[in-house]
């Protein structure tokens, strides 16, 4: 009889286990799903949200500490060269802009010199041809004796030899 009771109890536990298995499995899967959702949310908060907040705070601290560190370093070393260096670096953009303006003005000056040289050459040729035809007139002859058209209307050699281009400016502007 003991064997029959054991077989009956075992059979009952097996039947009850199998019938409750789906309910217990659903409960286990729901618990695992809740765990993964909660873990995912926690990871999002810890690694994304908290990191973004930390990054913002650190950036604010760094932005605010720059002038303070500069002042303390200047006080400790008693060197105000840091401020001077900062001012110098800030002024470099303005210097480069001014050099670019000088370069543009130099280009314009070279173009105007070329126009002037061309215009003076044309004027010299037309005046020479006009005066060649009036050698018989006293006024023309006096004018030709008084002025040397080749010399007076020619541009000065020294002026034509001026180098308007400055390699140093070109080097600075190319960097």
């Amino acid at each position: 009889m003991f064997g029959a009771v054991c077989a009956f109890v075992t059979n009952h536990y097996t039947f009850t286990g199998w019938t409750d298995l789906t309910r217990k499995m659903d409960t286990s899967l729901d618990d695992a799903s809740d765990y993964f959702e909660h873990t995912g949310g926690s990871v999002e908060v810890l690694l994304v949200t908290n990191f973004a907040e930390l990054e913002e705070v650190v950036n604010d601290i760094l932005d605010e500490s720059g002038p303070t560190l500069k002042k303390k370093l200047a006080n400790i070393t008693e060197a105000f060269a840091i401020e001077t260096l900062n001012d110098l670096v800030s002024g470099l953009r303005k210097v480069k802009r001014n050099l670019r303006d000088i370069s543009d003005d130099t280009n314009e000056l070279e173009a105007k010199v070329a126009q002037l040289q061309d215009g003076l050459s044309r004027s010299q040729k037309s005046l020479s041809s006009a005066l060649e035809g009036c050698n018989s007139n006293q006024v023309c002859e006096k004018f030709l004796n008084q002025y040397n058209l080749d010399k007076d209307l020619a541009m000065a050699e020294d002026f034509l030899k001026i180098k308007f281009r400055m390699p140093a400016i070109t080097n600075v502007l190319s960097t």
Side-chain angles (χ1 to χ4, degrees):
M1 171 115 165
F2 178 72
V5 171
C6 284
F8 178 73
V9 170
T10 303
N11 190 22
H12 177 68
Y13 280 150
T14 304
F15 176 75
T16 308
W18 278 109
T19 55
D20 287 344
L21 178 68
T22 56
R23 185 181 54 79
K24 288 183 180 182
M25 190 65 128
D26 286 343
T27 304
S28 282
L29 290 175
D30 287 342
D31 289 345
S33 175
D34 290 344
Y35 171 77
F36 288 127
E37 284 179 25
H38 177 71
T39 303
S42 296
V43 167
E44 175 77 20
V45 167
L46 287 174
L47 297 180
V48 177
T49 307
N50 287 354
F51 181 78
E53 291 173 3
L54 176 67
E55 182 180 31
E56 184 178 323
V57 168
V58 168
N59 284 336
D60 289 344
I61 290 171
L62 288 175
D63 288 343
E64 293 170 2
S65 67
T68 306
L69 286 173
K70 187 173 71 173
K71 286 177 187 173
K72 286 189 178 188
L73 183 60
N75 289 338
I76 290 171
T77 61
E78 296 178 8
F80 296 100
I82 293 173
E83 187 67 35
T84 305
L85 183 62
N86 188 31
D87 293 343
L88 179 69
V89 170
S90 298
L92 287 178
R93 284 190 193 102
K94 187 188 287 185
V95 169
K96 193 167 185 178
R97 192 173 340 116
N98 289 342
L99 287 174
R100 185 167 282 113
D101 291 344
I102 289 170
S103 179
D104 293 344
D105 291 344
T106 301
N107 290 339
E108 187 177 339
L109 180 63
E110 286 176 341
K112 300 260 185 207
V113 166
Q115 289 175 353
L116 179 63
Q117 188 177 12
D118 185 46
L120 282 176
S121 294
R122 279 187 279 128
S123 295
Q124 183 182 11
K125 287 177 187 172
S126 63
L127 190 56
S128 293
S129 66
L131 288 175
E132 282 178 11
C134 74
N135 279 338
S136 59
N137 188 337
Q138 284 184 336
V139 176
C140 286
E141 192 174 324
K142 183 179 177 185
F143 181 81
L144 287 172
N145 288 335
Q146 192 175 10
Y147 298 103
N148 181 354
L149 291 181
D150 291 333
K151 182 180 175 190
D152 294 338
L153 289 181
M155 291 182 75
E157 288 289 322
D158 292 338
F159 183 73
L160 292 176
K161 290 180 184 176
I162 293 176
K163 299 273 189 205
F164 294 109
R165 289 268 158 219
M166 291 177 251
I169 290 177
T170 307
N171 289 344
V172 169
L173 291 177
S174 67
T175 58

